[in-house]
Amino acid sequence: MSQLATFIEEKRQNKPILSMTHVVYGYPSVEESLSWMERLLEEGVDFIEVQFPFSDPVADGPSIVAACHKALEQKLDVETCLSQLGKIAKNFPDSRIVLMSYLNPMYRFGLDKLAKRAAEENILGLILPDLPIEQAATYQAACKANGIDPVWLVTPATPKDRLAMLAGQASGFLYCVARSGVTGHSVHEGKSKVNVLDDYLAEIKTHASAPMGVGFGLRHREQIEQLTGKADIAILGSALLDAFNKGGQEAGIKLIQDLFH
């Protein structure tokens, strides 16, 4: 079992579902994003998914796209990001940071180098949603050599044979997108949609031995409660960013408390 999967399994002994929050590195400034990460970890979130911004984040909705574009008004580099995240990871050993971005900036940095530096900074998971697994042999080998988990995504539109393949290869955790489309829109759409989501997660569970995280559209406590017992991690992205944009860190913390406590 990988370090990331072991961490999740141990944490789940005392929690019905783990919390994973999303922060865009550099938004609204590098200093403020790092401060926000530390505040979230002080609050006790189990994971932070840190997004290194890219100009064309195709899986993301308007809130995260706008944050990425704002962040890119500064000069950002992957090496500095990794070093800063490593310092935070060292200070909060009871939580974990995973790095999310798109292939373009990570390829320019170097995928072998990315896996090596991530491991050195105790970032145990990498999420590249636009890298197909069929074209990822070199990346997978680099991750394996450095004890890093490449986190794959599945969606309700993923064909069943491909879903089975991705779930079967998942190690740290499998990122289960709750609905088709980009981030940000709620999945709270009535009883029939709830049943569809339950069936989708049950299908994934038949193939995946790795833990399961669910994201895209989580905004309400009842959604988190619905996932309890069916997934290991609830992932909070656009809703947290929207709260932060409206009321700063205090509004974001209140949302987390309302959803998870």
Side-chain angles (χ1 to χ4, degrees):
M1 186 179 293
S2 74
Q3 294 182 70
L4 201 53
T6 299
F7 170 80
I8 294 167
E9 184 177 273
E10 290 175 351
K11 277 271 186 174
R12 284 277 284 107
Q13 299 301 313
N14 299 309
K15 290 187 176 182
I17 193 163
L18 306 187
S19 56
M20 179 165 153
T21 55
H22 181 105
V23 176
V24 175
Y25 175 75
Y27 177 78
S29 69
V30 171
E31 293 74 18
E32 287 175 286
S33 66
L34 296 172
S35 169
W36 182 216
M37 293 175 210
E38 291 178 343
R39 180 71 186 280
L40 289 166
L41 292 168
E42 288 167 357
E43 181 63 24
V45 300
D46 301 295
F47 281 96
I48 295 183
E49 176 189 12
V50 177
Q51 179 166 350
F52 187 87
F54 176 55
S55 57
D56 188 21
V58 293
D60 293 303
S63 297
I64 294 177
V65 170
C68 286
H69 290 171
K70 174 67 175 177
L72 288 170
E73 292 176 4
Q74 308 155 89
K75 185 175 181 180
L76 305 177
D77 68 89
V78 177
E79 176 59 40
T80 301
C81 174
L82 289 166
S83 296
Q84 290 173 328
L85 296 183
K87 291 177 183 177
I88 294 175
K90 184 178 180 180
N91 291 334
F92 294 91
D94 292 333
S95 302
R96 292 292 181 272
I97 296 173
V98 298
L99 181 66
M100 176 265 176
S101 190
Y102 290 85
L103 181 59
N104 185 293
M106 297 300 112
Y107 184 80
R108 283 185 284 134
F109 182 72
L111 297 182
D112 287 354
K113 183 180 177 184
L114 174 65
K116 180 176 183 295
R117 289 292 294 116
E120 290 171 349
E121 302 295 354
N122 200 35
I123 298 164
L124 301 181
L126 298 171
I127 305 172
L128 301 177
D130 59 340
L131 176 59
I133 196 170
E134 293 85 353
Q135 299 173 23
T138 301
Y139 167 67
Q140 286 180 291
C143 288
K144 184 175 181 180
N146 289 281
I148 298 292
D149 286 308
V151 177
W152 305 110
L153 282 76
V154 295
T155 80
T158 303
K160 286 195 173 186
D161 57 345
R162 182 174 176 78
L163 186 150
M165 181 267 290
L166 288 166
Q169 292 200 35
S171 50
F173 68 92
L174 183 67
Y175 195 128
C176 307
V177 175
R179 51 157 185 76
S180 299
V182 296
T183 60
H185 301 290
S186 177
V187 297
H188 189 63
E189 302 177 61
K191 190 174 187 302
S192 63
K193 294 293 184 181
V194 169
N195 292 339
V196 169
L197 179 60
D198 287 351
D199 291 344
Y200 162 63
L201 295 177
E203 170 72 15
I204 294 169
K205 197 176 283 288
T206 64
H207 303 290
S209 58
M212 293 164 50
V214 178
F216 283 49
L218 300 185
R219 289 180 174 269
H220 307 288
R221 187 179 181 90
E222 56 264 34
Q223 293 174 310
I224 309 300
E225 292 171 348
Q226 180 204 346
L227 293 176
T228 302
K230 301 163 189 169
D232 299 282
I233 309 165
I235 304 168
L236 194 63
S238 293
L240 183 62
L241 178 56
D242 290 343
F244 178 88
N245 285 339
K246 289 177 182 177
Q249 292 189 11
E250 296 308 319
I253 295 301
K254 183 179 185 304
L255 177 64
I256 291 168
Q257 291 173 339
D258 289 346
L259 266 57
F260 290 99
H261 299 299

